[in-house]
Amino acid sequence: MDKLAISGFVLAVVAVAGGFMMEGGALSTLLHFPAFLIVAGGTVGAVMLQTPFNQFVLGMKMLPWVVRPAQLPLQHTVERIVHWGSAARSTGFLALENDALAEQDPFLHRGLNLLVDGVEPKVLQDTLDAELTLERERLLRGARIFEAMGGYSPTIGIVGAVLGLIQAMANISEPELLGLGIATAFVATIYGVGFANLLFIPVGNKLQSLVHQRTLYHELIVEGLVSIAHGENPRNIERKLAAYHSG
């Protein structure tokens, strides 16, 4: 559980709500379902319109990463790569066959199988680099749907504000309905800007950061496996990979 992400969101909401209450405002005035429906529905609908189905589904599946990011076993993977390097230098790449068959990480599984098959180091690196790049771009496209929501949300909030003012002007002779329309106008604007800056944009940036961390982890794997393919000393491999771990 990412306590920093949860604490940051709670702090942001409490700061905004607390400041509003300190100025004499009532939180109940911010709870306005029509305004919420306009902003939330309009924003999600606009993003659905511009986004391919698979990309939208991927983004929704990535959303839990914000509070439950995948744990990347950097140190453990370095130790395993060093062990594989020792085994490969002693008895050849076929010594890694059982490890390749039992490996659960798909990226490591494919890399080890390429080693066991005896492909050239350049082919191994090109193959894994291509897969790494495609996977990174696929995940980044999923993360960017939240950036898109952050872009649309304030504009949809303005749409809600205009709709609220239209309602207010249409009922200018009826004070109760006039107040309802004005409330919708201002609350919709708050929802639009608030959702964008307190939720959508931070979530998009957090997911992109996690994708870059995942990419760095896979780059470590590529570097280690290519070093094994070149027959490098395991101690040298360990020192080389230490830079990824420290970063």
Side-chain angles (χ1 to χ4, degrees), residues 96-119:
L96 309 180
E97 186 172 13
N98 290 334
D99 289 314
L101 293 173
E103 181 56 50
Q104 297 299 310
D105 184 313
F107 193 75
L108 265 175
H109 174 75
R110 283 186 285 274
L112 284 172
N113 275 299
L114 289 171
L115 268 180
V116 171
D117 291 341
V119 301

Side-chain angles (χ1 to χ4, degrees), residues 43-52 56:
T43 299
V44 174
V47 171
M48 290 174 67
L49 178 61
Q50 77 162 34
T51 308
F56 185 83

Side-chain angles (χ1 to χ4, degrees), residues 7 29 44 53 82 87 101 110 112-113 118 135 149 155 164 170 172 176 189 193 210-212 214 224 238 243 245:
S7 300
T29 60
V44 174
F53 177 77
V82 171
L101 293 173
R110 283 186 285 274
L112 284 172
N113 275 299
E135 177 69 3
M149 289 183 183
T155 306
I172 196 168
E176 184 177 340
T189 304
V193 176
L210 292 173
V211 171
H212 289 309
R214 182 186 179 97
E238 184 175 19
H245 183 255

